[in-house]
Structure formats: C-alpha cells, structure tokens
Amino acid sequence: MTAPIAPATTSASPAPADPPSTPPAPEGARVPRRGSSRAGRTLHAGPLAYGILIVAVLFSAFPFYWTIVAASRSNADLAKVPPTLLPGPNLIRNFEAVLEEADIGKALLNSLIVSGSITLGTVLCCTLAGFAFAKLRFRGRGALLAITIGTMMIPPQLGVIPLFMLIAELGWVNQLQAVILPGLVSAFGVFFMRQYLVQSLPDELIEAARVDGASTARIFWSIVVPIARPGMAVLGLLTFMAAWNDFFWPVVALTSSEPTVQVALRQLGGGYVHDQSVIMAGTLLGTLPVLLVFGLLGRQIVGGIMQGAVKG
C-alpha cells in the first residue's frame, strides 16, 4: 500500500516589518514641514531692510523728479526760497522754447545715430574679441590681451589732438563718422566680455560643436551669442549711456550745424541770466531716450543676473 500523500502546504511570506516610528520631537522644538528645507525657504525682509530700500530709492529718484519740477516751472519759481517741490504748468512752454533756441530734433536724431552705431559696433566687436581671448588658442594671446587692458590706463584726452588731425586729413570734420568710428571698440568691452564668457561658456559645448563639424563662425552665432546675451545687454546699455552723454569729443569734432544732444544743450538758456527752466526742459528731453533703452534692455539685464545667481 502506498503511503498517503500529505497535503502541500504553502509557505506564507513574512509580513513586512513596520517602519520605525519617528521619535517624538522635544517639547517646544519647531518641527519643519514635510517637503521643506532650510535652504529652500523664502526669506522675508524685515522693516529695517524695507526702510533702507525706500530711502535709497528716494535719493536715487529725486534728481530726476527735480528735473521734471524745474522743467515745468519758470526761472522765477526756481529762485524762490524755499524752492517749489511740485510740478508747474510751464512744461509745454519750456519745450517750445527748447525747440526755438536749439535744433533739438536734429540733435536727438544725430545722437540716436551715433549712440546706436557705437553700441552695435562695440557689442559685436567686443563679443568677438572676448570669445577669441576666452576660448580660442592662438600665438600671442596673452600679450595682445595685456596690451588691450593696458590701453585703459591711458587718458583719452591725450589722443584728442592726433585723432583730430587724422579726421581733418580724412575730411571728416563736422561729420558723424568722426564721432562714430573712434568708439566702435573699447578695451573695457573686450575685457568685460572675455571675463563673462570665461565664466559662462563651458569648454565642453565648444568641443561638442567641433566634433559635430561646426566652424568657428557657426559656434559663435549658434552657441556663444545665445549664452552671452545677458552680458551683451549690460555692455550695450553701458555703451549707449556713455556715447549718449559724451560731450568732449563731439564738441571738438562737430559744430552747431551737426550737433548731438549734449552739444545742443549748451545753446539753451542763453543771455545775461541763464534760464534754468529751459535748460532743465532740454535735459529732460535728452534723458528720455536713455530711459527707453533701459526699459528695453533692463529685462535682459535682470534675467542675466538672476540666471547667474541660480547657476551659482
């Protein structure tokens, strides 16, 4: 007889162990919320920080506000003690006086042409030179960079006489190219873009593009320019402001028939007693394009600063 077969027993898998219980926090201790960390919490400024920021904004904005007040008042109102701090009704009248005393419309157009050309040329040339000094390997790179930085130590006033002799030989006196061409490249712009690309442009991207067969020109337009856009915006804003506010070289190379804004402003408020309200009205007209450029490039500047802060 065969022995009876015992029924098969299925081995039950052991039940998972209960997770260890979290020890209770000590009494009075702050328990952080789930999913939050100390590094990721939002920092809130205190009343002292807000007070300092408000005072700084007021001190920074008051000169521009005073320009608006002075441009909308008469010369007699500006001579009062204490001075008037509210805008007046003479803004349109002072603007009309500016247009009568100086060809401010032509001056604004000339300044836009000069400043825009210098800004475009400086941003393009300095980005190219900065990329070459930062990422390309060629003989004499260190010496050329040292010479470029060394030119920043030479006062620009020392080159006024030879530069004027040069443009006189070329027949460019009282022509806009006499102001545009000397400012198309700046040593500061080359050094600024070189330092920016050293920090922001990884060598691995250039090597990968080389492996894919991209030329140096293609690397510059497709890789360098998108990465360098925040730095180019900062350099463009600084260059535009410097070119717009330049007075010394335009007053040497140009005359009253082809003025820039800064040259035209010296023709305002003439007479035995200078009309400060008319001068301030002309200054206000000359400041508006700079504010417009800052409004256009400010987004790129802030975006570049925030991008660098996140990467850092």
Side-chain angles (χ1 to χ4, degrees):
M1 294 179 63
T2 59
I5 300 174
T9 59
T10 58
S11 60
S13 59
D18 294 335
S21 59
T22 305
E27 185 178 356
R30 294 184 60 184
V31 179
R33 292 178 299 177
R34 180 172 297 179
S36 64
S37 61
R38 184 179 298 273
R41 287 184 298 179
T42 304
L43 299 178
H44 298 281
L48 179 60
Y50 281 110
I52 294 175
L53 290 176
I54 291 173
V55 172
V57 169
L58 291 178
F59 271 101
S60 301
F62 181 76
F64 182 70
Y65 175 75
W66 173 250
T67 302
I68 298 176
V69 173
S72 61
R73 291 283 180 175
S74 63
N75 210 28
D77 294 335
L78 298 181
K80 293 180 180 179
V81 179
T84 304
L85 297 179
L86 296 177
N90 298 332
L91 184 62
I92 304 300
R93 186 183 308 170
N94 290 334
F95 281 162
E96 293 175 352
V98 169
L99 297 176
E100 292 176 359
E101 296 183 14
D103 194 356
I104 198 68
K106 187 175 184 179
L108 286 172
L109 179 61
N110 289 341
S111 289
L112 286 175
I113 295 173
V114 170
S115 302
S117 302
I118 291 177
T119 300
L120 292 177
T122 299
V123 170
L124 178 60
C125 295
C126 292
T127 305
L128 281 168
F131 168 60
F133 282 126
K135 298 299 177 179
L136 300 184
R137 301 292 181 265
F138 56 91
R139 183 177 299 177
R141 184 183 66 166
L144 289 176
L145 181 60
I147 293 173
T148 302
I149 297 176
T151 58
M152 298 172 60
M153 305 178 185
I154 302 175
Q157 291 80 7
L158 295 180
V160 169
I161 295 178
L163 185 59
F164 184 80
M165 294 173 62
L166 176 62
I167 67 169
E169 289 291 333
L170 296 174
W172 289 354
V173 178
N174 199 29
Q175 297 183 18
L176 296 182
Q177 60 262 32
V179 183
I180 294 174
L181 292 181
L184 287 181
V185 181
S186 67
F188 168 77
V190 173
F191 179 72
F192 176 82
M193 293 307 302
R194 187 257 178 191
Q195 294 300 109
Y196 185 87
L197 291 175
V198 165
Q199 300 294 330
S200 302
L201 181 60
D203 294 334
E204 291 77 8
L205 285 179
I206 300 178
E207 294 173 0
R210 294 289 189 192
V211 171
D212 291 340
S215 62
T216 303
R218 179 64 181 273
I219 292 174
F220 177 78
W221 291 111
S222 300
I223 298 177
V224 177
V225 171
I227 292 177
R229 189 175 296 140
M232 295 168 67
V234 175
L235 179 61
L237 177 62
L238 297 177
T239 304
F240 185 88
M241 292 179 61
W244 185 272
N245 295 325
D246 189 17
F247 173 77
F248 183 66
W249 177 243
V251 80
V252 172
L254 303 176
T255 63
S256 57
S257 60
E258 288 289 340
T260 58
V261 169
Q262 308 305 325
V263 177
L265 289 180
R266 68 173 185 165
Q267 305 175 12
L268 299 178
Y272 184 76
V273 178
H274 294 288
D275 195 340
Q276 298 295 332
S277 61
V278 176
I279 296 175
M280 287 298 182
T283 304
L284 182 61
L285 285 176
T287 307
L288 294 179
V290 178
L291 297 178
L292 179 61
V293 171
F294 181 79
L296 295 176
L297 298 181
R299 194 173 188 180
Q300 288 285 339
I301 295 172
V302 175
I305 294 174
M306 295 302 296
Q307 183 180 4
V310 172
K311 287 184 178 180

